[in-house]
Amino acid sequence: MNSVSSCHAPWWLPGGHTQTIWPLLRGGPLPRYRRERWDTPDGDFIDLDWIDGPAGAPLFVLFHGIEGSSHSHYARILMRAVRAQGWRGVIPHFRGCSGEANRFARAYHSGDSEELDWILRRLQPLAEAAPLYAAGVSLGGNALLKWLGEREHAARNLLAAAVAICPPLDLTIAGSTLDTGFNRRIYTRHLLSTLKPKALAKTLRHPGLFDGARIRRATTLFEFDDAYTSPAHGFGGAADYWRRASARPWLRAIRAPTLLLSALNDPFVPPTALPSARDLSTSVHFDCQREGGHTGFLSGGFPGHPEWLPQRLFAWFITEKHHETA
């Protein structure tokens, strides 16, 4: 696995929308996970799904995307690859994403770097002498990049290497893109179909904190974030949340070896949200594929065909000379 060619989607999956939607329908079998529950520092809980492996094997942690989980198509693909590689893997669920509502009025958000910090610090001793690798997908990738930039050398000392897969980077641009046209009718409607019921349930358990009528009326991510995400997590409205939670301003501060993997035809993240060379530190390798959609990255697309995404990640983790990165 010394090199990986570019991602070439099958001819029968043209365009970013098909390359985004088709993988959702073919995630493949669910790996056999071991579930563990951790109490959070503030008295809530999260659930982690583990792929056990040999003692001393590298430990790979995956932070999922918005309304994702260990059942998401990319999680299944990557964790099956972790098992085949003989590594250990773990997916920490963001609060409320493991199938059980969390205790508090808050949930999770795109800039939740404090949550990632305590999780990664608790995982690091479990890696023992083996490398600890981290990847984040979409929302999870944005939060991971923000954490890497905020912690700089402390993050470099904690992680051997990191990968961010299709992170939105600039939430104002990406959010506005999702709230427009086809994206709003398909993707945003789908996301709100689970986000809104969860938030409305919190209005019942925590009366007086949120305006349930505003949450019910929300038809865009901006309206939902303005009605729930922002007040639940201490932001001054959706615009303030989108600005302060974006990872793009933190890319120049990253010191850990980091692969930023994007696709030019990602319908969630338009080219205007992607970084230029001056936005990146020397520790960030920006791999912008021509095809892939949003977290799709199929190559072949048929059962039994080698999956491109895990090949790309393992090539980065294994063959890059990360110890030489400043």
Side-chain angles (χ1 to χ4, degrees), residues 114-262:
E114 291 296 328
E115 190 86 326
L116 269 65
D117 188 61
W118 77 262
I119 293 172
L120 289 168
R121 290 184 184 280
R122 183 164 172 178
L123 286 171
Q124 198 274 335
L126 300 180
E128 299 175 327
L132 176 63
Y133 298 114
V137 177
S138 194
L139 176 147
N142 185 87
L144 179 60
L145 290 172
K146 184 170 176 282
W147 175 81
L148 287 163
E150 289 174 344
R151 269 61 180 189
E152 296 189 67
H153 293 286
R156 175 67 183 95
N157 293 333
L158 197 65
L159 293 182
V163 177
I165 303 164
C166 296
L169 295 174
D170 187 318
L171 297 180
T172 301
I173 295 175
S176 299
T177 299
L178 278 170
D179 281 346
T180 304
F182 179 87
N183 286 352
R184 176 177 175 177
R185 293 192 299 273
I186 302 300
Y187 304 122
T188 296
R189 179 181 292 178
H190 174 70
L191 293 172
L192 291 177
S193 70
T194 55
L195 286 168
K196 289 170 64 174
K198 288 182 180 180
L200 289 170
K202 290 180 182 293
T203 67
L204 299 178
R205 293 194 299 270
H206 308 279
L209 294 184
F210 311 109
D211 186 337
R214 288 187 63 206
I215 294 172
R216 288 187 191 90
R217 290 196 302 267
T219 60
T220 65
L221 291 176
F222 186 92
E223 292 170 349
F224 176 81
D225 287 341
D226 209 49
Y228 171 72
T229 312
S230 169
H233 301 98
F235 296 100
D240 179 57
Y241 161 49
W242 285 5
R243 178 182 61 82
R244 290 168 55 193
S246 294
R248 186 170 174 172
W250 293 100
L251 297 178
R252 284 190 60 82
I254 292 175
R255 297 294 175 263
T258 300
L259 173 66
L260 171 52
L261 180 61
S262 300

Side-chain angles (χ1 to χ4, degrees), residues 274-326:
L274 299 177
S276 64
R278 64 177 178 271
D279 294 322
L280 304 173
S281 80
T282 57
S283 297
V284 179
H285 176 73
F286 183 34
D287 181 354
C288 191
Q289 293 287 313
R290 186 173 62 87
E291 298 182 303
H294 187 70
T295 74
F297 294 114
L298 288 175
S299 184
F302 290 104
H305 195 283
E307 300 281 0
W308 185 87
L309 185 60
Q311 290 184 67
R312 183 66 183 97
L313 264 64
F314 281 111
W316 169 253
F317 289 143
I318 294 171
T319 66
E320 293 295 322
K321 296 180 179 181
H322 297 313
H323 62 278
E324 296 180 358
T325 304

